[in-house]
Amino acid sequence: MAHARDLLQAMISGEDVASWATRAADILTGEIDVGIWGKGLLQSHDDYQIAKDLSKMFDCKLFYPVEEDKEDTIKKLNDGLLAKMFDKVLERDFQPLTSYHKRERVAIILGILAMLLGAIIEDRHMRALRLLRPWLPNMEQQLQLVTALDEYKNDGTPWELGSKGPLALQNTGDFPVIEGSEGQAVVPFDCGDEFYYSGLGHSLDEPPTSEMSSKVCLECWKKPATLRRCTRCKMARYCNTACQRADWGLHKKVCERRKSVRTCPVPPPTDEQMS
């Protein structure tokens, strides 16, 4: 999960691990408001507050449970609690603990947190999450949600979100750090921004991808051999002109002109990922 990568960065930079852990805990519990540090999901104090509120509301530690509690948390979720949580959050009269949080955003964060743990999400709730893409404010978050819903295996394999945590951004890249030809620190497989690899996320047992663009048609969710790219934002892709036109009413609200596709180098797949 992302916090493990953040911890490795702290160690690389020479930061005291105990100090890192204390500040991480303060951020997760809301003691430190770090605002918004990126364009992705779980890159704002509000998203962390939603995670905290959900944990409190349903008496279940959802966000970064300590290792010894993780198995019990997943079992509790799979034994019916997660379905109960989705049913509650998706009710029209649902009232979040923090009054200004939107029900739709709470449902999306609940889904992402469940995937990070590898919990089993019922098909009806996966379908409901698909309908919530319009509630996300930018293409980065929309693509993170669409990719997770399309590629999450829902068999106990955790999902890796492409968003860096606030502590990771104190340094300029991911790990490991190596020495470059001029003696400077070089961080491979990182663009130096708020995202890991493509930013889209990936199943823990699969290698990450490099390009931040949709892997499915954003209108019909199909995966033809060739997808037509939005020439303006370079991120949205579609089966054909008909699908692109059908989605334009939604896409135009988040379509921003970009000069090129964000592409990040990725490490070679491990032996386990290739098997």
Side-chain angles (χ1 to χ4, degrees), residues 116-166:
L116 292 178
L117 289 169
I120 306 301
I121 304 175
E122 293 187 6
D123 288 345
R124 61 193 177 100
H125 295 138
M126 293 289 280
R127 291 194 298 270
L129 288 170
R130 282 193 176 200
L131 301 177
L132 299 182
R133 175 187 150 219
W135 291 90
L136 293 173
N138 58 45
M139 276 302 297
E140 288 82 1
Q141 293 184 20
Q142 289 192 10
L143 291 190
Q144 284 183 330
L145 177 65
V146 169
T147 304
L149 292 174
D150 179 60
E151 296 186 357
Y152 182 58
K153 295 186 175 179
N154 219 3
D155 62 358
T157 306
W159 183 254
E160 284 274 3
L161 189 61
S163 299
K164 291 180 182 177

Side-chain angles (χ1 to χ4, degrees), residues 82-210:
L82 183 58
K84 177 183 176 182
M85 295 173 77
F86 270 116
D87 287 342
K88 181 68 175 177
V89 169
L90 291 170
E91 289 177 354
R92 288 188 176 275
D93 58 353
F94 171 71
Q95 296 294 323
L97 290 184
T98 302
S99 60
Y100 62 83
H101 288 157
K102 299 296 185 182
R103 172 175 62 107
E104 294 80 7
R105 183 81 185 189
V106 174
I108 290 168
I109 296 303
L110 173 58
I112 293 297
L113 293 174
M115 293 182 199
L116 292 178
L117 289 169
I120 306 301
I121 304 175
E122 293 187 6
D123 288 345
R124 61 193 177 100
H125 295 138
M126 293 289 280
R127 291 194 298 270
L129 288 170
R130 282 193 176 200
L131 301 177
L132 299 182
R133 175 187 150 219
W135 291 90
L136 293 173
N138 58 45
M139 276 302 297
E140 288 82 1
Q141 293 184 20
Q142 289 192 10
L143 291 190
Q144 284 183 330
L145 177 65
V146 169
T147 304
L149 292 174
D150 179 60
E151 296 186 357
Y152 182 58
K153 295 186 175 179
N154 219 3
D155 62 358
T157 306
W159 183 254
E160 284 274 3
L161 189 61
S163 299
K164 291 180 182 177
L167 297 175
L169 291 180
Q170 290 183 348
N171 301 303
T172 57
D174 208 348
F175 61 91
V177 174
I178 61 175
E179 187 173 303
S181 57
E182 302 296 327
Q184 76 276 26
V186 176
V187 185
F189 316 129
D190 192 272
C191 289
D193 59 10
E194 70 265 46
F195 296 109
Y196 289 111
Y197 309 122
S198 69
L200 301 179
H202 61 98
S203 182
L204 188 61
D205 61 348
E206 300 284 350
T209 54
S210 63

Side-chain angles (χ1 to χ4, degrees), residues 37-104:
W37 58 90
K39 294 182 177 181
L41 295 168
L42 290 179
Q43 287 192 319
S44 71
H45 176 75
D46 272 354
D47 281 357
Y48 277 37
Q49 186 63 47
I50 289 172
K52 178 183 177 183
D53 288 352
L54 285 168
S55 297
K56 181 178 180 180
M57 186 179 297
F58 295 97
D59 191 26
C60 181
K61 178 70 172 178
L62 288 172
F63 202 25
Y64 296 162
V66 294
E67 199 62 37
E68 55 265 31
D69 294 339
K70 189 182 297 183
E71 186 175 337
D72 288 341
T73 296
I74 296 171
K75 184 177 186 305
K76 186 186 295 185
L77 291 172
N78 289 344
D79 284 347
L81 178 60
L82 183 58
K84 177 183 176 182
M85 295 173 77
F86 270 116
D87 287 342
K88 181 68 175 177
V89 169
L90 291 170
E91 289 177 354
R92 288 188 176 275
D93 58 353
F94 171 71
Q95 296 294 323
L97 290 184
T98 302
S99 60
Y100 62 83
H101 288 157
K102 299 296 185 182
R103 172 175 62 107
E104 294 80 7

